[in-house]
Amino acid sequence: MAHFRKDFLWGGAVAANQVEGGYNEGGKGLSVTDITTAGSLESPRYLTYTLDGKDGKVAGMFASSLPKGAKGKIFDNEYYPNHVAIDFYHHYKEDIKMFADMGFKVFRTSIAWTRIFPTGEEDKPNQEGLDFYRRVFEELKKNGIEPLVTISHYEDPLALGEKYNDWQDRKMIDLYVKYATTLFKEYKDLVKYWLTFNEINSSLMFLKMVGDGKASDEDYQKAYQKLHHQFVASAKAVVAGHKINPDFMIGNMIAGSVYYPGTPDPKDALAARYEEELSQLYCADAQAKGEYPSFAKRLWDEHNVHLKIEDGDLEVMKEGKVDMYTFSYYMSNMVTTHDVGEKAKGNFAAGAKNPYLEYSEWGWSTDPDGLQLYLEKMYDRYGIPMMVVENGLGAVDKLEDGTVHDDYRIDYLRKHIKAMDKAVEHGVDLLAYTTWGCIDCVSNGTGQMSKRYGFIYVDRDDKGEGTLKRLPKDSYYWYQKVIASNGDEL
């Protein structure tokens, strides 16, 4: 007998930029994602731009990668997978019906900032954008599904990224709060659950793990300053949201991972601890405790970071603590000070390969025990309700007889649901589970469609070809039974 609460919120998760498409419809402005090309496991995604009359492109996914003074530009000879994605913009009713037939209680999605404020600096919101999301949320409610809405999910307006250098300017705080407050007022009777930023710790993880030690002190200065502005923006949004509707549940969102010492060497235990502090606890403490942790000064000193903190910032961070701790979980990492053989690969995966775990084609370990450990550690640390808002297996699916026989995905999810159940049995207050990419979507890291996560197959390939037809996979019917039995039937 599973231990999940009777009103447990089973569902799935996507992000606007990875499913919606319609990048130039409904009054939408350009997001940073709209100038981001496709990539693969071997080749990065690029931002395309023009500077001093010359076109160029640079590897990256955030506006901070653009050269100073560059303006994002869409090239005729490049493929931008997010422009159409899976066209949820025109298929949302069909997709929501399929989610409802699966039994979803909750659907996590995000709002494209540029659908509401095309450049981020307009005085009045774009009514077409507001109306689109209202229709989506009303359709969800009609089907008995709670919306769980991420306000900022790797979806900054390109104009703001260019002008304010990816959150380096404090003006971003008020622009974000204006945007968030607009959403809170517009949907106060439709949406109860909100997340301020997606995987807010990703910039630090990216520097440490993907930067391979090559990140400069200036890179860290920018990353920490960006985060400070986002912490203040998030806190101000939480305060504003609670005034608009005291029943709102507003959360943070952390890219969750566990860090194991690679050997019994005490130096490895310390190295793993320090990795956890940098990659997880620094951001989590700032949002869930409302204050910088005791080790923050050590982290800043390591890279000569001098944070610009203005009067009132620390007070508002304390006042705007989040109501719930939400996170993504895909894998664990192993940290060692010793020479290693084979290394892990893939975005946010680094360090030595763990000999006790299996790894996916994209270099991610499968570690359900790590999910249980993470839930128990973080609940013990923060003591607020939790949600697992991303978890899933990216794989190359083979379409056979009009469906996909994805036993490998079922096996992965089954193990992680069992791990969650164990954590709940041990006292964790878990509210929801939304699997990532519940319908196939464009991969954020690589821009591929072939890295599929969904219960629903979408006929579209890495070159943007296909009918966009939706087909349920074997996992669709399996998850239907899981939800109907509240986790008993796995």
Side-chain angles (χ1 to χ4, degrees), residues 19-20 142 170 267 347 350 363 451:
V19 296
E20 270 182 19
K142 190 173 84 178
R170 283 187 67 91
K267 287 185 173 59
N347 49 331
K451 185 183 182 184

Side-chain angles (χ1 to χ4, degrees), residues 41-59:
L41 185 58
E42 291 77 29
S43 58
R45 302 188 73 179
Y46 290 94
L47 303 177
T48 52
Y49 65 87
T50 185
L51 178 63
D52 298 330
K54 294 180 180 178
D55 291 343
K57 59 182 184 179
V58 60

Side-chain angles (χ1 to χ4, degrees), residues 314-327:
L314 299 182
E315 289 76 11
V316 80
M317 281 173 62
K318 198 73 176 174
E319 187 185 358
K321 288 188 296 186
V322 294
D323 305 311
M324 55 184 181
Y325 187 96
T326 79
F327 65 98

Side-chain angles (χ1 to χ4, degrees), residues 183-235:
L183 302 183
F184 292 150
K185 288 178 179 175
E186 182 73 20
Y187 308 119
K188 68 178 185 291
D189 299 323
L190 281 170
V191 180
K192 176 182 178 180
Y193 301 103
W194 300 89
L195 307 179
T196 54
F197 287 92
N198 179 70
E199 295 185 332
I200 196 167
N201 56 324
S202 59
S203 53
L204 284 180
M205 293 178 77
F206 186 83
L207 278 184
K208 177 70 177 177
M209 303 174 80
V210 185
D212 198 24
K214 296 173 185 171
S216 66
D217 284 357
E218 184 184 1
D219 292 331
Y220 276 95
Q221 172 71 37
K222 287 181 177 178
Y224 281 115
Q225 194 63 55
K226 171 183 177 176
L227 280 170
H228 179 70
H229 292 155
Q230 290 184 330
F231 294 152
V232 174
S234 173

